[in-house]
Amino acid sequence: MNRPVQRLIIIALAVLLVVPLGVMGIGQLMGPGAEQQTAENSQSAESPEDRPTADPAAQPPRPELPRPAEPAGLTEQSAEGAQATLTYLLESYDYMMSSGDVSVWEDSIDPNCQVCVSFLSNAETLAAQGGYLVDGAFVIHSTSFEGTGEPPATGTVVADFAQEESILVDDPDLQATQLTEVTGQLIATIAWDGERWRITDMSIAPPADETGGPVGPSDSGGASGAGGAGG
């Protein structure tokens, strides 16, 4: 293969990202056992020459998904607006990963949210390599919001979701990767910037402990002082 291909690590982390080799922080979404899971899933991806080759013409076609329209709630300083922001982010994920268009997320994330920025970088890297995601749409079963202030200025949105199975074509010249369906709960801290809600941090909730204690956001990034996000 003459064309240089940036090596990727495929991480099965509920929101199923393609992470450029060396990117850390995203793994903090995964909870206990993340490092072991990452190592197991990255063995073949770190060595593209070990993967079977494929005819690009035989790959599943790139989906032609319409750009999702932003709901009005994104610019409403309310609990409903905060929940709409996270719902929109997740429901537009398959469009972003199939098209490489990161603008659908850019206006709804805080630039200091390391996890959020990694999502954008992953989508751009995948697109630059001619890769894309097939299927993998999110279904949001329910959302809840706890905020501070009246009207709320910061808070936490929790979303119960399922992501359908998908196919990752990270390099059209190599065999695609099958990704299974995932269900889980995503926790996002969120802040009002004066015009709209922005996600300041995201994490996947680990299984409830024996005491049934609450779970919180990751410490992987986010705007300082926004809804408890880590700095």
Side-chain angles (χ1 to χ4, degrees):
M1 184 169 57
N2 295 327
R3 181 172 59 87
V5 176
Q6 180 176 352
R7 295 178 178 179
L8 299 176
I9 296 177
I10 300 170
I11 296 182
L13 90 140
V15 280
L16 297 176
L17 302 176
V18 183
V19 182
L21 189 63
V23 170
M24 306 302 289
I26 279 287
Q28 295 180 32
L29 282 175
M30 301 172 64
E35 294 182 1
Q36 178 64 28
Q37 184 69 52
T38 299
E40 292 174 356
N41 290 337
S42 66
Q43 287 179 354
S44 62
E46 288 190 43
S47 303
E49 63 272 13
D50 295 335
R51 292 168 58 189
T53 58
D55 179 358
Q59 297 279 20
R62 181 193 297 270
E64 296 292 337
L65 301 178
R67 179 188 172 89
E70 292 188 355
L74 302 190
T75 56
E76 296 177 1
Q77 191 177 358
S78 64
E80 292 75 17
Q83 292 172 82
T85 298
L86 182 59
T87 297
Y88 171 73
L89 221 66
L90 294 178
E91 290 184 343
S92 62
Y93 174 78
D94 57 337
Y95 166 79
M96 181 174 71
M97 294 299 287
S98 62
S99 68
D101 179 6
V102 301
S103 65
V104 293
W105 274 42
E106 283 179 325
D107 287 339
S108 293
I109 65 169
D110 187 284
N112 294 315
C113 176
Q114 296 176 13
V115 169
C116 307
V117 172
S118 293
F119 272 84
L120 306 188
S121 176
N122 295 334
E124 291 175 329
T125 296
L126 190 63
Q129 295 180 182
Y132 50 91
L133 186 72
V134 180
D135 299 324
F138 279 85
V139 176
I140 311 303
H141 297 303
S142 64
T143 59
S144 62
F145 173 74
E146 291 187 6
T148 57
E150 186 57 46
T154 61
T156 300
V157 181
V158 178
D160 292 308
F161 70 88
Q163 185 188 20
E164 68 179 14
E165 62 184 15
S166 57
I167 301 173
L168 178 66
V169 182
D170 61 302
D171 180 347
D173 293 316
L174 297 176
Q175 179 176 290
T177 302
Q178 300 283 333
L179 302 173
T180 60
E181 180 183 12
V182 178
T183 60
Q185 187 177 76
L186 190 143
I187 302 170
T189 53
I190 192 166
W192 180 257
D193 72 354
E195 296 182 352
R196 62 190 296 146
W197 290 100
R198 291 184 183 271
I199 304 294
T200 59
D201 193 17
M202 292 191 293
S203 64
I204 298 299
D209 60 26
E210 294 181 357
T211 63
V215 292
S218 76
D219 294 326
S220 55
S224 60

